[in-house]
Amino acid sequence: MIRNRLSAFLALSTVLTLAACGSDQPAANQAAGVDKVKVGVIPIVDVAPIYVGKAQGFFAKRNIDLTMEQAQGGAAIVPGVVSGQYQFGFSNVVSLLVATQQKVPIKAVANGVNSTGDPAKDFGQLIVKDPAIRTAKDLEGKTVATNTVKNIVDTSVKEIVRKAGGDGSKVNFVELAFPDMAAALDAGRVQGIFVVEPFVAPALAKGWRSLGAFADVDPKLCVAAYFTSTQLIAQNPDLVKRFTEAMRESLAYADSHADAVRQVVTTYTTIKADSASAMTLPKWSSDIDKASVDRMNQLLASGGVLSAPVDTSKLLP
């Protein structure tokens, strides 16, 4: 979901130069009135709705022949969308806000994934092992694992610490892949980890404790969104409209059909059925919660990830 390195945006200079000179790539490959559409995604539970929607025929009935291509993270997907490698992409809100500040020609078209709204049962949580660490404030001066720095995870941890009466700037962060975090916490190399499903349930099953979650940042926190290039919007607005409609239907269906979600994640990730059954699923809203994006925008600016809050109207539909 959020395995995104902001440094990936350095590669955008070449992409933007090509875009400025114009592109002869088609907006989407078309055959017999059907648009062939490729979407850049990340192999995590967050993108389950697009796989469920394809299986349910929501895209096909709108003349979209949908293919998903997996990437390491949303920041890597952004230049792929701008260059035309993908017609649409999935990325966390932080990467999209950073790209917007850098004047990357993209725009969100559909919601991606949200917090459940319940800090005690959310798909992304701040977890500790040491019983002496009673609140998030106790993490001052200690080390917390994040999948990447200056992104949505460490920004969320800092806000959780602040709300507990602490100073988030006094927390030390180390980058670790989500699958490696539990071992680091167990060995004492870090004192806290922020993980997302399917890593939350097994961590809590060890008797470890949650000190906060995405829901503590904002109950309706928009963690990620689907987006496209402004070039595609100009060239083929009808395709963008049909894709957005299909995504909205897919999000609504996934949010009300947990069994379909738990089954489909085993088809595009390494998550096994028993782990899928134990996961806390995210909330998939049909609409982007703009207020929570504004909230993250302000947090990123105050934390120095953004030089100033961006004009979110340039990003959000």
Side-chain angles (χ1 to χ4, degrees):
M1 149 189 87
I2 48 181
R3 300 179 178 89
N4 305 303
R5 296 183 179 278
L6 299 181
S7 59
F9 287 117
L10 295 175
L12 283 172
S13 58
T14 301
V15 172
L16 293 175
T17 299
L18 292 173
C21 296
S23 172
D24 57 4
Q25 294 185 2
N29 296 323
Q30 202 171 48
V34 175
D35 288 291
K36 292 184 178 294
V37 169
K38 186 180 294 184
V39 183
V41 297
I42 311 165
I44 51 178
V45 67
D46 307 40
V47 299
I50 196 170
Y51 285 90
V52 170
K54 179 178 180 179
Q56 292 296 317
F58 299 154
F59 293 90
K61 75 179 183 181
R62 293 176 172 88
N63 293 326
I64 294 175
D65 181 4
L66 187 68
T67 300
M68 273 72 77
E69 185 169 304
Q70 295 184 354
Q72 183 173 349
I77 292 172
V78 171
V81 169
V82 175
S83 68
Q85 177 185 356
Y86 314 123
Q87 280 70 53
F88 300 90
F90 175 92
S91 182
N92 76 79
V93 166
V94 173
S95 290
L96 296 179
L97 288 168
V98 171
T100 300
Q101 184 171 77
Q102 296 180 347
K103 303 187 186 314
V104 180
I106 58 171
K107 197 169 184 72
V109 296
N111 189 45
V113 65
N114 302 82
S115 161
T116 64
D118 181 358
K121 195 172 179 60
D122 208 352
F123 79 106
Q125 297 196 30
L126 172 60
I127 294 173
V128 298
K129 176 185 177 183
D130 186 350
I133 302 175
R134 303 189 178 200
T135 73
K137 182 180 185 300
D138 296 329
L139 290 171
E140 289 182 348
K142 295 181 172 59
T143 301
V144 174
T146 176
N147 66 317
T148 58
V149 296
K150 295 186 177 180
N151 217 301
I152 197 163
V153 164
D154 61 331
T155 300
S156 296
V157 170
K158 290 176 182 178
E159 179 63 2
I160 292 168
V161 170
R162 185 194 70 78
K163 286 191 170 182
D167 183 349
S169 68
K170 294 181 179 179
V171 178
N172 303 311
F173 291 96
V174 60
E175 287 191 358
L176 288 174
F178 286 127
D180 300 329
M181 289 187 184
L185 182 60
D186 203 22
R189 296 194 298 274
V190 298
Q191 289 73 58
I193 59 177
F194 193 104
V195 287
V196 296
E197 291 289 19
F199 306 105
V200 173
L204 295 177
K206 293 177 182 289
W208 299 346
R209 295 170 300 110
S210 172
L211 299 183
F214 278 137
D216 288 302
V217 180
D218 190 292
K220 297 181 179 180
L221 186 65
C222 176
V223 177
Y226 291 88
F227 67 101
T228 190
S229 66
T230 56
Q231 182 182 16
L232 182 61
I233 292 173
Q235 289 181 346
N236 200 338
D238 180 64
L239 172 59
V240 175
K241 178 175 180 291
R242 284 182 282 125
F243 178 85
T244 300
E245 290 173 349
M247 273 309 315
R248 286 175 55 85
E249 187 172 9
S250 300
L251 289 161
Y253 187 91
D255 199 57
S256 60
H257 292 78
D259 288 345
V261 169
R262 295 184 193 280
Q263 187 281 323
V264 81
V265 296
T266 65
T267 67
Y268 68 90
T269 73
T270 58
I271 299 171
K272 304 301 182 185
D274 56 344
S275 297
S277 65
M279 289 190 305
T280 295
L281 298 181
K283 172 70 177 175
W284 286 294
S285 300
S286 297
D287 298 308
I288 296 174
D289 189 274
K290 296 182 179 181
S292 75
V293 175
D294 288 336
R295 173 71 177 144
M296 183 57 65
N297 189 24
Q298 294 294 329
L299 289 175
L300 294 172
S302 62
V305 177
L306 295 173
S307 58
V310 304
D311 180 357
T312 55
S313 68
K314 297 182 183 300
L315 171 65
L316 302 179

